[in-house]
Every structure is written in C-alpha cells, then in structure tokens.
Amino acid sequence: MKKMIVVILSVIIFSMVFSATITEIKAKGKLLVGTEPTFPPFEYVDENNNIVGFDIDIAQRIADKLGVKLEIVNLPFDSLIPALMQNKIDLIIAGMTITEKRAKVVDFSVPYFNANQSIVVREGEKFRPVKLEDLKGRKVAVQLGTTGDIVVSEISEIKVVRFQKFTDAFLELQNKRVDAVVLDEAVARAYVKKFPKFVVSAVIDTGEKYGIAVKKGNSELLNFVNNVISEMFKSPYDLLVEKWFEKAQQ
C-alpha cells in the first residue's frame, strides 16, 4: 500500500512539474492557447466562425514571437485551469482575473488589463441596483467560475444561478427568470450596446487585473510571455485597445 501511495504521489508531482519548454513548443510548431470564446471583445466567434478578439491578438503576437502557429483550444471557462495543469494547453488567455486562489495552482503573467464588475438589469424596469448588496434576496445569473461568480457568491443572501456561457445568463435575464447579471464591465458594455433591452445599472470597482496563466513552475515560458507583454505596452497595445474596444462601442 505504501509503495502504491508513493507511485501515485510521484505521478501527481511529475504532472505538476512537467510542462512544455519553449524548445518543445517550437519543435511541435504550435502554441496551444486555451480560451472560452463567448467573452467579447476579448474572445468570441465572428460571423466567419473564427475565434477573434483582444486576447486572441495578444496570443497571436506571442506565437509570432515564438515563431510558431497559434492554435486556439475552445474550452469551458472552468475547464481551462485543469487543462493547463494536465498539459493539454500551453497558456490560458481568457480575460482571467488574477486571484490568490488561482495563483496557488497556476503562475500569472504581469497584468495586461484592468477590469471591474458590472450589474446588468432589464431596461425599462424600476429595479436599479447600485451596489452588490442591493442584490440581496434576488436571483442573479453569472458565468461559472468567473469573478462575477466569486463576488456574488460571497453574499449569502443572493440566489446565484450559474451558467457555462454568459450569453445563457442574459437569456435568463431576458426571460425574467433572474433579476440581474453580474459580469466584467467591458463585456457587459459591449453586450448592452448590441442589445439595448438591457442596461448597465452599476459598475463595481473590484480593482481586478487580467493575466495570462502559465503552468506552475514554467518560469521560462512565463518570462517569455512577460517580455512580450512589456514590449506590447510600448505601442501595439494601444492599437489593440482602440481596435477591439472602440469597435465594441459602435
């Protein structure tokens, strides 16, 4: 039994430590980036069925710097970290907020985007919450595993309804089965601009920062990603912001 335990522990430790080096990524000729493409303008599927967005352009730049092809792996948001830990992907670029809990199991790049949460309700109704506490006693839809899920779950009086896709959360709001949706501000504003039947009732200053997730201990790849982000801040980053966020407001 002791031998079996040692073997199991060894497998777990090996799985945690082993991850693709830059040399191995170049050898296979592609960078595997996990995302959940229902989060415009960061990542979404366009009219030509291509996964595009702010995060995807950043992923493409990292792949270009590595000299390899970019391959986007479409996964549910709550499956991204397990996939990274199991070596099914090399990076997570998915509008993922850096949190202490997540940082215990993955390594995060330097922040590349500052974000807040927002409360969205139906247009034309009297209910206009201005803070999270106003949602007490209400049914609130969120995307599973997101920061929106985390912040509303901390308030026990809120009835949280979770979905794999934030668009399903909005469908529940449209059909009056929930009272509000809580999600990232940039995504909320882009969606409300497209569907004026909803309105952003409040923005919650949560001081969030998005980071790119790398497997724990893969300092080589993490340093490379950090260098690419640092280079982007010098010029291309502003162009990406203008490209994706001004487009979302049109």
Side-chain angles (χ1 to χ4, degrees):
M1 179 61 72
K2 289 182 179 178
K3 288 183 179 179
M4 184 178 296
I5 292 173
V6 171
V7 170
I8 292 172
L9 287 174
S10 297
V11 170
I12 293 173
I13 292 171
F14 178 79
S15 175
M16 290 176 65
V17 173
F18 176 79
S19 53
T21 65
I22 289 177
T23 300
E24 289 169 337
I25 291 172
K26 289 182 176 180
K28 68 182 178 184
K30 59 184 176 182
L31 177 70
L32 302 176
V33 173
T35 198
E36 203 270 333
T38 61
F39 203 59
F42 293 94
E43 44 270 328
Y44 64 98
V45 180
D46 69 7
E47 61 276 9
N48 297 316
N49 208 34
N50 296 315
I51 297 177
V52 299
F54 182 75
D55 283 349
I56 307 306
D57 280 3
I58 293 177
Q60 185 63 64
R61 188 164 184 84
I62 294 171
D64 290 345
K65 288 288 185 178
L66 285 167
V68 298
K69 292 182 179 180
L70 172 65
E71 183 173 318
I72 299 297
V73 182
N74 184 344
L75 293 168
F77 190 83
D78 61 331
S79 297
L80 290 169
I81 288 180
L84 183 64
M85 296 174 69
Q86 295 164 17
N87 303 310
K88 294 179 179 178
I89 55 178
D90 300 313
L91 300 173
I92 298 172
I93 310 182
M96 181 172 281
T97 300
I98 300 170
T99 66
E100 289 185 11
K101 184 177 180 180
R102 289 171 180 159
K104 290 178 180 178
V105 293
V106 301
D107 286 334
F108 278 107
S109 69
V110 294
Y112 69 89
F113 192 86
N114 297 326
N116 291 307
Q117 291 297 301
S118 64
I119 302 172
V120 180
V121 295
R122 290 181 292 272
E123 177 64 280
E125 296 190 4
K126 293 182 179 180
F127 181 54
R128 284 288 188 277
V130 296
K131 56 185 184 298
L132 290 173
E133 287 71 18
D134 293 340
L135 300 174
K136 290 180 179 180
R138 300 278 186 165
K139 292 183 72 175
V140 178
V142 298
Q143 184 177 11
L144 180 66
T146 61
T147 308
D149 184 1
I150 294 169
V151 295
V152 297
S153 297
E154 291 174 349
I155 303 175
S156 59
E157 295 91 339
I158 297 177
K159 302 172 185 176
V160 186
V161 185
R162 299 175 176 86
F163 297 92
Q164 286 286 353
K165 299 179 179 180
F166 88 90
T167 47
D168 291 335
F170 274 107
L171 184 60
E172 287 294 284
L173 181 62
Q174 176 182 316
N175 292 331
K176 300 185 177 182
R177 290 193 283 262
V178 297
D179 301 300
V181 172
V182 174
L183 78 164
D184 293 53
E185 180 190 3
V187 181
R189 292 198 182 282
Y191 199 82
V192 167
K193 187 72 176 181
K194 188 174 182 180
F195 299 101
K197 67 183 74 174
F198 307 113
V199 61
V200 175
S201 176
V203 174
I204 311 301
D205 185 4
T206 50
E208 298 169 58
K209 296 180 184 298
Y210 292 168
I212 296 172
V214 177
K215 191 170 183 181
K216 201 75 175 173
N218 193 346
S219 57
E220 181 191 30
L221 184 56
L222 180 64
N223 291 335
F224 186 90
V225 169
N226 282 338
N227 287 335
V228 174
I229 293 173
S230 297
E231 288 178 6
M232 290 186 68
F233 281 143
K234 295 175 182 176
S235 64
Y237 184 84
D238 292 335
L239 297 178
L240 289 186
V241 171
E242 181 179 351
K243 173 183 176 181
W244 292 107
F245 291 90
E246 299 227 346
K247 179 179 180 180
Q249 297 301 319
Q250 292 176 355

